[in-house]
Amino acid sequence: MADATPGGQVPSAYNNTGGTLPDWLNKGDNAWQMTAATLVGMQSVPGLVILYGSIVKKKWAVNSAFMAFYAFAAVLICWVIWAYKMSFGEKLIPIWGKAGTVWGYKTMQAQAMLPATQTVDVPMATPFYPLATMIYFQFVFAAICLILLAGSLLGRMNFIAWMLFVPLWLTFSYTIGAFALWGGGCLFQWGVIDYSGGYVIHLSAGVGGFTAAYWVGPRLTKDRERFPPNNVLLMLTGAGLLWLGWAGFNGGDPYSANIDSSIAVINTNICAAMSLLVWTLLDVVFFGKPSVIGAVQGMITGLVVITPAAGVVQGWAAMIMGICAGCIPWYTMMIVHKRSWVLQQVDDTLGVFHTHAVAGFLGGILTGLFAEPHLANYFVARSNEQGAFYGGHVGGRQFAKQLVGALFIIGWNLAVTSIILNIVRLIVPLRMSEENLIVGDDAVHGEEAYALWGDGEKYDITKHGTSDSRRLVAMADATQGGQVPSAYNNTGYPLPDWLNKGDNAWQMTAATLVGMQSVPGLVILYGSIVKKKWAVNSAFMAFYAFAAVLICWVIWAYKMSFGEKLIPIWGKAGTVWGYKTMQAQAVLPATTTVDVPMATPFYPMATMIYFQFVFAAITLILLAGSLLGRMNFIAWMLFVPLWLTFSYSIGAFSLWGGGFLFQWGCIDYSGGYVIHLSSGIAGFTSAYWIGPRLTKDRERFPPNNVLLMLAGAGLLWLGWAGFNGGDPYAANVDSSIAVINTNVCAAMSLLVWTVLDVVFFGKPSVIGAVQGMITGLVCITPAAGVVQGWAAMIMGILSGSIPWYTMMVLHKRSKILQRVDDTLGVFHTHAVAGSLGGICTGLFAQRDLANYFVARTDEQGAFYGGHSGGRQLGKQLCGALFIIGWNLVVTTIILNVIRLIVPLRMPEDLLLIGDDAVHGEEAYALWGDGEKYDITKHGNSEYDDTQHGLDNNNLNVRPTPPTVEL
């Protein structure tokens, strides 16, 4: 129901006569704002902590991660004592607020307000939640700004100098930018647009970092010349948390779970995805190989460029900004940097100048071009502002304002950062001593990132290999009288009566959880469960698919899946990137049936588009699990948009969008058929046409990192709360039931699978437990909100045993299954488990629960008897057969078309080498002086890796499990 109900009746859940809750509190806004803050916090800790710790040379992993970890803590203490009020308090001068504490309970429980934000055109900002929420939300932005700045200084800054620099720079630089642009200062009053920090955070961090790098000085020459990431999979984990956390970064800045927040989230993802694709394409064209590090850089520049504009531009403009974000910073980093004497002189370790200063400046300028007047009125302190693209005197004026705002931030940061560092160096050296620079973490912190050699030892060159770096060792939510609380009375502009902020907050949260199942969840699961030589390629196949699907989704595929009916299995193609589409109430136009009205959730289309996108993306990523270890990456780049268009959109429209199976009443609650059965059948079919891995890879394909595999599996399990909990399209009773049923089934399935492993193979297998977890999650998916808890448990027993039998027993006896090389066993874990879940839905669907969801009323499962029960089982069987048959045929056609253009399988020489040959990158550089594994240098000891399973001709240290499939 909407926040303000017709006729002035107050829903009982909002009739808070107990007197504990104030009239101004909107729980939907508060829930979303806290969620958004937490997502941004997770971008820093653990996101940037592990990204920094893994993207640097091994000897600097601990120091780099600790610089980020320390800054997060130090900023919060300064924030509550003085810095919050300097940024968002009463005005002291036009660029600075009055300092003061915000730690008293009266301050924290009061309604949030930004006292200096009143202008001629807009009133003071007073969000519908307590100041405590605002303090926390704004803190995570301040913290991430310092952490981003640190990326310029990794590998040489004296840690004590960093400890002094953080509070000083926060006080004299960050608070100035934040007050001037957000807190009610001169630039805010003038109407400069910085939606979520393109200037305050990214331009500041990039300029501040570049300036600091000049004063601190460079790394050692050998570190500048060779600084490989020590762990690409952990880097992708951090990058994934950064990307999905950006839903909070930009989605939280309207200070409300409103239409603008939804638009900001989808625009953010569009720009990031397009930028990643453009950067990757440029890498392929100019350097011959798709680089996963380049893809991460492209993702980051896309996120940065859209940040100052996220809620004020249309979707097509976000796409153009993504193209600019993927090529302009690429050009400055890859071409200009190498030709510029000035840029070459300054050792900006992670290129923060290019990815944040250049991209932040570019985003601000493009905001001056593309800011749409209706959307800008949600946010800008001056009414009727617009970008230059929309013409007129106002447009040109906004462009100029953006330029002046950027120049102010650049000039201030250059001067203040220089002054701060020159003061700090009067106290302590800015740069480490030479001997600490040579040794790294062990000398600076007495700790190292890895102790993986021998009997849990740190790397010791005298025992674990000889290399040229031998010399390093020596150095050693109240109303009264039935009135609707003001916070829910959405009768004025710009909030429509149909918007329910609670539903919108949950739906955006659910979408973000599902997104995190893919990035970083499946990215790191795939990268770690495969053989080491395929870690980068496997992770990158998932990372690329996530980006590519989104671009296709907003241009044509969303409407083909959820738009007006073209034919009974397909919707009419069309774009969904205009602001009028995105801010309208969500609607699925083809879902009207004899028994139920058209689906019209109480949130904007932008939220629905984003939510349905993450389901489409994960389907392609699951399918990829069948193809790891041999598919030509260029063929995969072509396959993704084609299969999305001609297979996924058919299943989605037929079962969810109002197609013939939906109208008939076939139940697929959250994707047992649309996602899992489709990906399992298509993956198996694709594996047949592409062909097998090398024989030695099929015979021995151990996971390269079981702990990272479990991290990915954990994100997959907990993310399923969004996967199944989001599909009622509301934060209602059914969503709660779906979440608990999901976890009951997954847990039971995991336990059954583990017991079977113990009974038949004598040992509990962690890989088997992950397989059981996944089959339980897949099996409950088509039934999650329509079955009772006891039925979910029975389904867990079945999902833990039947797919176990097909994988562990039947697979080994079937010549057909043996012939097709389904790398991670997606046929068993998704096709078998998905079809099993659909059939169990036909058995156990409970009538009252089904009436929440099913397009036909009074349907029930066969277990409850009667004609309708048997009928439902028949519908479920027919639905499964349709999905199976369609995917077999269409996948076959697509692949046979692609192989007329490029080979489907890599050539033999690339298959022998793996990642280094395909991408020019390897997952780990942990040996010697941050080197890739070289048996001639790192394998001459009793603990060498030839005896730990890197040589296929030597014995393993533990028995290989019967299968290593997911």
Side-chain angles (χ1 to χ4, degrees), residues 70-80 83 139 142-144 146 166-167 170:
Y70 165 81
F72 193 80
V75 168
L76 181 53
I77 301 307
C78 303
W79 198 244
V80 296
F139 145 66
I144 200 169
L146 264 299
V166 169
L170 173 72

Side-chain angles (χ1 to χ4, degrees), residues 17-77:
T17 56
T20 57
L21 301 177
D23 191 53
W24 49 257
L25 179 64
N26 184 298
K27 291 180 178 179
D29 282 352
N30 198 31
W32 171 242
Q33 209 66 26
M34 289 191 291
T35 300
T38 302
L39 288 171
V40 179
M42 288 176 67
Q43 289 184 297
S44 295
V45 179
L48 284 168
V49 168
I50 57 177
L51 191 151
Y52 283 4
S54 57
I55 202 170
V56 298
K57 200 170 187 177
K58 180 180 65 114
K59 73 174 185 178
W60 293 117
V62 173
N63 181 259
S64 301
F66 196 10
M67 286 181 71
F69 206 53
Y70 165 81
F72 193 80
V75 168
L76 181 53
I77 301 307

Side-chain angles (χ1 to χ4, degrees), residues 374-637:
H374 297 87
L375 295 175
N377 281 338
Y378 280 103
F379 181 80
V380 184
R382 295 285 182 175
S383 60
N384 301 318
E385 296 289 355
Q386 62 187 28
F389 174 83
Y390 296 92
H393 170 65
V394 175
R397 183 177 63 200
Q398 189 62 50
F399 185 82
K401 289 178 181 180
Q402 298 301 116
L403 185 58
V404 172
L407 293 175
F408 171 78
I409 292 295
I410 292 169
W412 186 269
N413 278 281
L414 275 167
V416 171
T417 305
S418 295
I419 293 169
I420 290 172
L421 284 165
N422 278 279
I423 291 172
V424 170
R425 71 176 182 176
L426 296 176
I427 305 170
V428 295
L430 298 180
R431 193 167 177 267
M432 298 178 191
S433 65
E434 289 296 314
E435 64 179 37
N436 284 1
L437 288 171
I438 292 172
V439 177
D441 290 337
D442 199 23
V444 180
H445 302 285
E447 300 159 321
E448 290 187 10
Y450 303 97
L452 303 178
W453 293 266
D455 187 25
E457 302 163 3
K458 299 176 183 177
Y459 187 85
D460 181 346
I461 213 162
T462 64
K463 297 172 65 178
H464 307 133
T466 59
S467 88
D468 294 335
S469 53
R470 183 184 297 275
R471 62 193 179 88
L472 299 179
V473 179
M475 305 191 63
D477 201 110
T479 67
Q480 306 263 337
Q483 299 262 329
V484 177
S486 60
Y488 296 97
N489 193 8
N490 295 325
T491 55
Y493 182 85
L495 300 180
D497 287 339
W498 52 256
L499 178 64
N500 185 301
K501 292 178 178 179
D503 284 353
N504 198 31
W506 169 241
Q507 210 66 26
M508 289 191 290
T509 300
T512 301
L513 288 171
V514 179
M516 290 177 72
Q517 289 184 296
S518 295
V519 179
L522 284 168
V523 168
I524 58 172
L525 192 150
Y526 282 6
S528 57
I529 201 169
V530 298
K531 199 169 188 176
K532 181 172 72 78
K533 74 173 185 176
W534 292 115
V536 173
N537 180 260
S538 302
F540 198 8
M541 285 181 71
F543 204 54
Y544 164 81
F546 192 79
V549 167
L550 180 53
I551 301 307
C552 304
W553 197 244
V554 297
I555 298 176
W556 71 81
Y558 173 80
K559 283 201 170 181
M560 295 176 75
S561 304
F562 296 95
E564 297 177 359
K565 184 173 76 172
L566 177 65
I567 57 175
I569 60 171
W570 224 1
K572 297 178 182 178
T575 64
V576 288
W577 56 23
Y579 85 94
K580 291 183 179 180
T581 299
M582 288 191 179
Q583 70 178 6
Q585 182 175 5
V587 60
L588 303 181
T591 56
T592 303
T593 71
V594 175
D595 297 324
V596 299
M598 179 171 60
T600 53
F602 296 118
Y603 42 76
M605 276 293 293
T607 298
M608 178 64 81
I609 295 164
Y610 178 50
F611 180 74
Q612 297 296 357
F613 145 67
V614 292
F615 283 81
I618 201 170
T619 308
L620 265 299
I621 294 170
L622 292 173
L623 187 160
S626 295
L627 313 175
L628 304 181
R630 82 276 200 179
M631 188 174 187
N632 179 352
F633 198 85
I634 305 301
W636 176 244
M637 293 173 73

